[in-house]
Amino acid sequence: MRGELVDAEPRADRERNGTTGPEPDLTHHGDAEVAAGLVDLAVNVRRDPMPDWLADPLVAALGQLAAYPDPRPARAAVAARHDRPPEEVLLTTGAAEGFVLLARALSGVRRPVVVHPQFTEPEAALRAAGHRVERLLLDPADGFRLDPARVPDDADLVMIGNPTNPTSVLHPAADLAALARPGRILVVDEAFADTVPGEPESLAGRRELPGLVVVRSLTKTWGLAGLRIGYLLADAELVDRLAAGQPLWAVSTPALAAAAACATPAAVAAERALADRLAADRDHLVARLSALPGVRVAGHPASSFVLIHRPGAAAVRERLRERGWAVRRGDTFPGLGPDWLRLAVRDPATTDAFVRTLAEILEA
């Protein structure tokens, strides 16, 4: 079903109600595709050398490990970046922790709706906390664009990514803001917002929107997936509720140093320069893919990855692995299936080598 609401039922309920089709594996992520000897197009983490302005504070933090972490300087730095008071910032061990905290704290939610296809951890966290989730599946024929009118009026929790993983769709800020209302928590996953030059559709500074929670990650652009650092922005009362669910000293001293460093004006300027370069590299990838017969690039990609459709893509993915390339399968995302693949944007030389291999596989 496309552009429709479906119930994310447990498997037993699906079988009893006659629902067909396998349930996507929400716990599968791109790192599972990667193995020694494979060129990684499956994980959306930039792998360039770390700049000195980030490496130096991390090294210095290693000399402070005897003391318990103090999140206050990093919290203030992140707040200043988004022009918010520190009380509206919660630092987390990667963006993924934010979804777990939300799912556990919002126990009174009656009708949670997750907009798919998107990163699967928000729904997985909700289901693990006992919530029964409805999925709003966006239509590939419409480029996976959101129609705010499709979200039920009585949904009291709505989760959506922007730009969305894995579709790379950037939804207009006005469409997302239209979903905010009293009595509803609106969670916008902006883990990849910094991959878009200037972040024109970000809601990170929109303090006036009721119930808004913005979840951000610092692991993608700066190659910090192993460090685990992210944060969320929300009203102070909700931040306090979520913080109560964290263990003491939840974020390590090195991770806090990274958060403070990445929030400086110099870091933001560097981030935007990287986003400009990424846009050019993405345009190159899209142009090369679009020239291949039978390959369709979904929508208008805006982030550090693109989604493609090709009949028989599951078999193509296996052939690519045999030839030394790891790409992200699409069938673990609700609303997609085995004919979809997600590809990380890399430099033009890597893209050209990949497309040559893909073309040979498709011609065989």
Side-chain angles (χ1 to χ4, degrees):
M1 300 174 67
R2 302 298 187 185
E4 299 293 336
L5 279 165
V6 298
D7 191 4
E9 302 171 359
R11 181 173 295 277
D13 289 349
R14 290 164 57 82
E15 293 173 353
R16 182 167 56 251
N17 295 335
T19 306
T20 59
E23 174 65 9
D25 180 3
L26 301 182
T27 65
H28 183 92
H29 299 294
D31 59 319
E33 311 280 357
V34 182
L38 298 181
V39 180
D40 177 15
L41 302 187
V43 177
N44 303 317
V45 174
R46 198 175 67 90
R47 298 186 178 274
D48 290 359
M50 187 177 295
D52 290 343
W53 57 259
L54 177 54
D56 291 346
L58 285 178
V59 171
L62 298 179
Q64 304 167 14
L65 297 184
Y68 286 99
D70 179 2
R72 290 173 296 180
R75 192 181 190 190
V78 171
R81 172 179 178 172
H82 296 292
D83 196 24
R84 304 178 74 122
E87 294 77 15
E88 295 181 358
V89 176
L90 182 65
L91 298 163
T92 57
T93 54
E97 188 199 11
F99 302 124
V100 173
L101 294 172
L102 285 161
R104 293 174 177 174
L106 302 177
S107 57
V109 167
R110 300 181 307 279
R111 191 178 185 184
V113 173
V114 180
V115 181
H116 283 290
Q118 75 148 306
F119 183 50
T120 53
E121 282 303 310
E123 180 179 320
L126 287 170
R127 293 172 67 172
H131 297 278
R132 182 142 182 162
V133 180
E134 288 180 76
R135 296 171 179 162
L136 174 57
L137 303 181
L138 302 185
D139 191 346
D142 191 33
F144 297 105
R145 307 299 303 187
L146 171 70
D147 177 1
R150 296 295 308 154
V151 177
D153 287 340
D154 62 345
D156 51 358
L157 173 63
V158 178
M159 290 184 160
I160 186 170
N162 202 40
T164 303
N165 173 19
T167 63
S168 204
V169 168
L170 183 64
H171 300 289
D175 287 351
L176 299 187
L179 297 176
R181 62 192 61 183
R184 168 185 289 174
I185 301 295
L186 171 62
V187 180
V188 181
D189 176 7
E190 292 193 0
F192 292 96
D194 59 4
T195 66
V196 182
E199 302 186 12
E201 309 303 336
S202 172
L203 297 183
R206 297 289 300 272
R207 300 180 61 212
E208 83 285 2
L209 294 175
L212 175 65
V213 180
V214 174
V215 181
R216 304 275 297 216
S217 171
L218 296 172
T219 65
K220 316 301 183 185
T221 292
W222 298 119
L224 299 174
L227 190 62
R228 310 309 306 142
I229 179 62
Y231 56 92
L232 59 81
L233 308 169
D235 70 75
E237 181 180 357
L238 181 54
V239 165
D240 284 344
R241 288 175 61 191
L242 298 175
Q246 285 184 308
L248 289 174
W249 311 293
V251 182
S252 71
T253 296
L256 293 171
C262 291
T264 64
V268 173
E271 182 180 272
R272 292 184 176 180
L274 289 173
D276 288 335
R277 190 180 81 188
L278 172 67
D281 291 346
R282 183 181 61 246
D283 289 346
H284 180 76
L285 174 61
V286 169
R288 293 299 309 274
L289 291 170
S290 298
L292 296 176
V295 174
R296 176 168 63 87
V297 177
H300 301 283
S303 190
S304 56
F305 46 89
V306 301
L307 183 69
I308 63 171
H309 182 270
R310 177 40 160 93
V316 170
R317 181 176 66 86
E318 292 300 328
R319 293 288 307 280
L320 285 167
R321 289 185 70 83
E322 295 170 0
R323 298 284 296 272
W325 297 90
V327 299
R328 175 65 161 90
R329 61 194 291 183
D331 60 340
T332 65
F333 291 101
L336 298 183
D339 291 337
W340 295 91
L341 298 173
R342 191 193 69 195
L343 312 173
V345 176
R346 301 299 188 217
D347 63 274
T350 301
T351 287
D352 290 344
F354 169 74
V355 173
R356 284 195 298 269
T357 302
L358 179 57
E360 292 169 2
I361 291 171
L362 297 180
E363 291 168 1

